[in-house]
Amino acid sequence: MGKLDGRVVIVTGAARGQGEQEARLFAAEGARVVVADVLDDRGEALAKEIGARYVHLDVGSEDDWQAAVTATKDAYGHVDGLVNNAGILRFNSLLDTPLDEFMQVVQVNQVGCFLGIRAVAPEMADGGTIVNTASCTGLTGMAAVGAYAATKHAVVGLTRVAALELAGRGIRVNAVCPGAIDTAMSNPARLDPDADPAETAKGLDRLYRKLVPLGRVGRPEEVAGLALFLTSEDSSYITGQPFVIDGGWLAGVSVI
Ligand code: NAD
């Protein structure tokens, strides 16, 4: 028995990184997964490998969301879960951030999450689940990522409001708040086909040894495990909460 047997789950930004690991784990746990992304070649290859369906979905586009929901229902008849995972990061001080750049981050991270909830929840079976991907920076500040942190705070707010509004139908809405995770977002060397992933992970671990109490960067598989918990019956009495997964980064400062 898998933890998601019979459930149909859409995962956005699933062509790589945390979304890819979520799609892989959910499929292994019996879900029929819809891999959604703008990276079509990569997303299609993953979907083929794990027996999922691929849909092209720019999360900032209302039309794409409608098409994705229709494709999901045509293929599987229903939808039970959504993981709003797609996201982008831009580094800039607030005072140097052009409005275009700020709005680009808002469009994907914040509007994308809002549109996903609004498009999928009405079509979702009662008792469904939504997992939104926020960040540690949705709960605390971090210099040089102001646009990103603003959107991730917004994702936590959307999560709480959606949980309240959808609880009557038994739809649970929670957020994951990862710290530093070894994906292309935190570790662009992952996009270099000639780089050895194990070596680049070691480099990140050295960087985070002093910053993070557990002394290493997180793995996308670990975030996928949390998303599985929040999508499965194991979390049946949990809704409206942000879940930090950060190796202890937000626990506080250490003076020893
Ligand atoms: P990633 O860059 O490897 O993956 C992001 C995915 O989102 C990619 O597949 C990308 O194509 C997709 N995407 C980007 N724009 C999109 C759009 N408009 N529509 C659909 N898909 C789009 O990075 P990741 O670490 O796997 O990021 C996943 C989520 O985790 C993001 O929301 C990110 O903000 C969040 N997060 C990441 C970290 C980290 O350290 N890696 C930490 C906290 C939160």
Side-chain angles (χ1 to χ4, degrees):
M1 284 278 287
K3 286 182 182 290
L4 300 179
D5 279 346
R7 294 175 72 82
V8 176
V9 184
I10 300 171
V11 183
T12 70
R16 72 178 192 213
Q18 294 173 47
E20 175 185 343
Q21 295 308 323
E22 285 157 355
R24 287 182 184 283
L25 181 59
F26 286 20
E29 289 290 344
R32 280 163 293 173
V33 176
V34 175
V35 170
D37 209 300
V38 289
L39 298 176
D40 296 335
D41 290 350
R42 207 169 159 147
E44 269 165 9
L46 174 68
K48 195 168 169 200
E49 185 191 332
I50 65 174
R53 271 190 85 86
Y54 177 74
V55 293
H56 176 91
L57 168 64
D58 176 345
V59 293
S61 158
E62 285 187 274
D63 290 347
D64 280 10
W65 272 110
Q66 283 316 320
V69 171
T70 301
T72 302
K73 291 193 83 173
D74 285 352
Y76 299 125
H78 55 106
V79 54
D80 311 285
L82 168 66
V83 181
N84 276 317
N85 164 76
I88 59 172
L89 171 68
R90 298 287 180 268
F91 288 99
N92 229 331
S93 74
L94 270 181
L95 301 192
D96 289 330
T97 301
L99 180 57
D100 279 358
E101 181 178 301
F102 192 92
M103 295 311 294
Q104 191 189 11
V105 178
V106 168
Q107 187 68 18
V108 178
N109 297 3
Q110 182 174 337
V111 174
C113 182
F114 159 66
L115 289 179
I117 295 168
R118 206 187 61 179
V120 177
E123 303 293 333
M124 190 176 259
D126 288 0
T129 56
I130 299 175
V131 176
N132 297 322
T133 305
S135 162
C136 275
T137 63
L139 300 169
T140 190
M142 185 180 288
V145 296
Y148 182 83
T151 63
K152 295 302 187 179
H153 276 71
V155 168
V156 173
L158 282 170
T159 299
R160 292 182 170 131
V161 173
L164 294 171
E165 294 187 0
L166 297 172
R169 291 177 49 210
I171 296 175
R172 298 183 296 105
V173 188
N174 291 289
V176 295
C177 298
I181 307 297
D182 184 11
T183 67
M185 184 174 282
S186 285
N187 183 7
R190 284 212 157 259
L191 297 177
D192 176 355
D194 299 326
D196 173 358
E199 280 307 311
T200 62
K202 274 189 213 157
L204 270 193
D205 283 344
R206 277 193 292 278
L207 177 66
Y208 286 101
R209 192 165 293 149
K210 288 206 171 118
L211 286 175
V212 176
L214 288 183
R216 64 172 176 83
V217 70
R219 312 288 180 227
E221 292 84 349
E222 294 173 311
V223 180
L226 177 56
L228 171 63
F229 170 70
L230 294 172
T231 300
S232 76
E233 274 300 293
D234 288 348
S235 58
S236 55
Y237 198 50
I238 298 175
T239 195
Q241 295 303 315
F243 287 82
V244 174
I245 173 164
D246 70 344
W249 206 357
L250 289 195
V253 288
S254 176
V255 292
I256 54 167

